[in-house]
Amino acid sequence: MNENVLSRAVPAKTSGWLHYFANPGRFLRFVQPILPWAAGVSLILTLAGLVWGYQFAPADWEQGDAARIMYVHVPAAWVAMSGYAMLAVCSLFSIVWRHPLADIAAEEIGPIGAGFTFVCLVSGSLWGKPMWGAYWVWDARLTSVLVLFFLYLGHIALIRAFDNKTHGYRAAAILALAGAINLPIIVYSVQWWNTLHQGNTISLAGGAKIYMTMLYPLLISTLGFYLSFLTMVCARVAAAVCERKTASALLAAAERG
Amino acid sequence: MQNTWPYINGAYGVTTIFLVAAAWLTFARYRRALARLRQAETQ
């Protein structure tokens, strides 16, 4: 009876599709030829976005040159939040479907996501000093992003805290899923509370409230950051898969004598 | 108006250092993992 219920829980087609892409060997074959191209394109886009923002984009009429920090701060913030969303999705896949690749991906997303969150916090702090007169204020947006950074650190520590790797994956997946509640809090913090941090300049529903000469370098920089993040995560996952295959091959060789 | 360039340079500096360091460490680990796998498979 229970078997019937479980087999109906995931439609066969979806399950097959998920299992097809969750195969570590297939992932390696798919990703390896793409990685050099992805690295090249992400390097070009990131460099173009940063140089355009630093040197050629116009200064803001109100904030002056300090607004140039936007071209590193905003993309880093978006990648930090998207990275955590990916972490939560991988954790869901890990808990529901027990995909080994989802566990590896969650383990490898953590350090890179934490790095982007750190960049977001530091660049935001360096933007805050000349604009607000303080490096840090306990504002809802800043505090919720700091919580995101701690969630990343907690996930990194928890996933490596157990001798039995599977226990670490389960515990970290639960933390990642529970922590996902912080994402809408970060996004809507500037609407729900009175914050020193400015409101959303760009939104899917409301469009962009900045001039095109500032929007283009921001979008290029954002594309570059996203592609850099995905390339680094894919390379780390591929490296982790190779490390596991190496361990298996060495174990098999040792057993053969 | 206050000179904001030290803050701008700091923000871009931290970002560049992070991106270069993360990319370098990732690349080095990936190359090492591939080399070790090839070596293990030939044993």
Side-chain angles (χ1 to χ4, degrees):
Chain A
M1 180 66 187
N2 281 344
E3 272 184 23
N4 287 340
V5 171
L6 285 173
S7 64
R8 279 203 307 272
V10 180
K13 213 173 176 181
T14 314
S15 176
W17 178 83
L18 286 173
H19 284 291
Y20 183 85
F21 284 104
N23 180 301
R26 200 169 285 134
F27 171 82
L28 213 53
R29 283 195 298 278
F30 177 72
V31 150
Q32 271 184 323
I34 297 173
L35 271 178
W37 295 98
V41 175
S42 50
L43 179 71
I44 291 167
L45 284 175
T46 306
L47 258 179
L50 292 185
V51 171
W52 194 347
Y54 184 84
Q55 193 67 42
F56 301 108
D60 184 63
W61 70 277
E62 195 177 17
Q63 299 191 20
D65 283 316
R68 293 180 196 281
I69 297 175
M70 168 176 73
Y71 305 107
V72 294
H73 175 72
V74 174
W78 283 343
V79 170
M81 286 194 292
S82 305
Y84 198 88
M86 276 175 66
L87 189 65
V89 170
C90 287
S91 301
L92 185 72
F93 276 37
S94 165
I95 286 177
V96 177
W97 289 287
R98 305 283 160 126
H99 282 166
L101 198 64
D103 289 326
I104 298 172
E107 190 173 3
E108 301 305 335
I109 286 170
I112 303 292
F116 275 99
T117 314
F118 179 75
V119 166
C120 167
L121 285 168
V122 172
S123 58
S125 180
L126 288 165
W127 196 358
K129 180 65 179 167
M131 292 301 106
W132 305 334
Y135 285 110
W136 185 263
V137 285
W138 291 103
D139 166 290
R141 172 60 70 86
L142 277 70
T143 309
S144 53
V145 174
L146 185 66
V147 169
L148 180 73
F149 182 59
F150 289 143
L151 282 168
Y152 269 124
L153 294 186
H155 187 272
I156 292 167
L158 198 57
I159 210 164
R160 291 162 177 83
F162 294 84
D163 290 333
N164 184 337
K165 272 272 192 192
T166 312
H167 293 167
Y169 289 141
R170 294 288 93 75
I174 292 165
L175 171 73
L177 282 175
I181 190 68
N182 190 40
L183 292 179
I185 294 175
I186 294 174
V187 173
Y188 293 107
S189 57
V190 287
Q191 294 173 25
W192 290 343
W193 294 283
N194 286 321
T195 58
L196 205 50
H197 192 284
Q198 68 182 71
N200 296 328
T201 309
I202 298 169
S203 64
L204 288 175
K209 294 174 193 161
I210 58 174
Y211 199 63
M212 287 299 168
T213 48
M214 296 169 103
L215 181 65
Y216 287 142
L218 180 62
L219 290 181
I220 297 285
S221 185
T222 302
L223 267 177
F225 274 44
Y226 266 109
L227 206 53
S228 301
F229 173 79
L230 288 175
T231 307
M232 283 193 271
V233 167
C234 284
R236 286 175 65 93
V237 171
V241 170
C242 286
E243 284 159 7
R244 281 161 175 75
K245 285 174 82 128
T246 306
S248 303
L250 290 176
L251 193 66
E255 281 173 354
R256 281 197 305 270
Chain B
M1 199 174 193
Q2 189 186 357
N3 177 20
T4 53
W5 279 102
Y7 302 103
I8 300 166
N9 292 337
Y12 277 77
V14 167
T15 307
T16 308
I17 288 168
F18 162 70
L19 287 173
V20 170
W24 181 258
L25 289 172
T26 302
F27 179 67
R29 181 183 165 196
Y30 177 66
R31 288 283 301 269
R32 198 169 53 239
L34 273 183
R36 281 187 184 158
L37 179 60
R38 280 197 201 104
Q39 198 181 8
E41 280 175 345
T42 52
Q43 275 179 4

